[in-house]
């Protein structure tokens, strides 16, 4: 069962990376090619999908939403996304500047970067990881996307 779990969690992570899926809705995914092979009429059982999602959470490769019906899949860990953002900050001379989360995720200057259009929840986790390591300071905004970030 351990080998099967390792293979399935790697497949889920790779599938999500390939399709740039951040939130995997388990009910919707059950009908997707990830868990349903139409050609051979095989489908992974819902309880197994739930089990593998839970294994990903336990391993730090995903995070449940409040309903435990979706997982935020970390095909890159939040700290890795944070480092990608910080590298961009350093490469573009933005150290010491304040930016909004919107500018980081969807700004014109970020279009060529891997983190462009990164899920908002994952962006926040990445920025919190940077804050934890003393590379950023977060400032309150009215909405998450308007939150200010000062890069140190």
């Amino acid at each position: 069962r351990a080998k099967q779990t390792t293979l399935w969690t790697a497949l889920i992570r790779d599938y999500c990376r390939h399709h740039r899926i951040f939130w995997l809705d388990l009910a919707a995914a059950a009908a997707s090619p990830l868990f349903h092979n139409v050609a051979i009429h095989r489908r992974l059982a819902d309880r197994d999908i739930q089990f593998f999602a839970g294994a990903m959470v336990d391993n730090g490769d995903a995070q449940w939403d409040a309903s435990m019906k979706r997982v935020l899949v970390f095909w890159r860990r939040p700290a890795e996304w944070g480092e990608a953002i910080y590298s961009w900050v350093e490469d573009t001379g933005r150290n010491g500047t304040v930016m909004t989360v919107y500018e980081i995720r969807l700004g014109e200057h970020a279009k060529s970067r891997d983190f462009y259009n990164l899920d908002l929840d994952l962006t926040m986790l990445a920025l919190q990881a940077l804050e934890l390591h003393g590379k950023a300071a977060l400032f309150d905004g009215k909405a998450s996307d308007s939150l200010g970030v000062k890069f140190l």
Side-chain angles (χ1 to χ4, degrees):
R1 183 80 169 167
K3 179 71 171 170
Q4 186 180 35
T5 300
T6 300
L7 292 172
W8 268 106
T9 56
L11 177 66
I12 294 166
R13 206 175 35 255
D14 292 346
Y15 181 89
C16 290
R17 178 185 299 115
H18 178 76
H19 293 283
R20 207 162 160 82
I21 296 168
F22 296 103
W23 282 103
L24 185 65
D25 181 302
L26 301 185
S32 76
L34 177 59
F35 298 120
H36 183 206
N37 187 331
V38 178
I40 61 171
H41 307 290
R42 297 283 309 260
R43 178 186 308 242
L44 194 64
D46 290 344
R47 72 179 182 281
D48 293 327
I49 296 170
Q50 187 83 19
F51 172 82
F52 294 130
M56 291 180 74
V57 171
D58 292 344
N59 195 39
D61 292 328
Q63 178 178 302
W64 289 112
D65 73 349
S67 69
M68 293 188 68
K69 294 181 181 190
R70 299 184 319 150
V71 287
L72 179 58
V73 178
F74 301 147
W75 35 275
R76 268 190 176 173
R77 301 273 173 117
E80 292 174 64
W81 284 114
E83 285 305 317
I85 293 168
Y86 197 73
S87 290
W88 170 71
V89 166
E90 288 184 319
D91 293 348
T92 57
R94 287 181 165 79
N95 290 67
T97 64
V98 176
M99 301 179 71
T100 64
V101 173
Y102 179 86
E103 288 176 288
I104 296 164
R105 293 180 58 236
L106 300 167
E108 189 68 32
H109 299 289
K111 276 190 174 178
S112 64
R113 299 299 182 132
D114 288 347
F115 58 83
Y116 182 77
N117 203 21
L118 185 64
D119 175 78
L120 179 58
D121 294 316
L122 190 48
T123 302
M124 296 307 301
L125 291 171
L127 293 172
Q128 289 166 2
L130 287 176
E131 186 174 44
L132 187 66
H133 290 95
K135 295 181 177 183
L138 302 176
F139 301 95
D140 288 335
K142 292 182 181 181
S144 294
D145 244 4
S146 66
L147 184 74
V149 183
K150 181 173 183 175
F151 292 100
L152 311 171

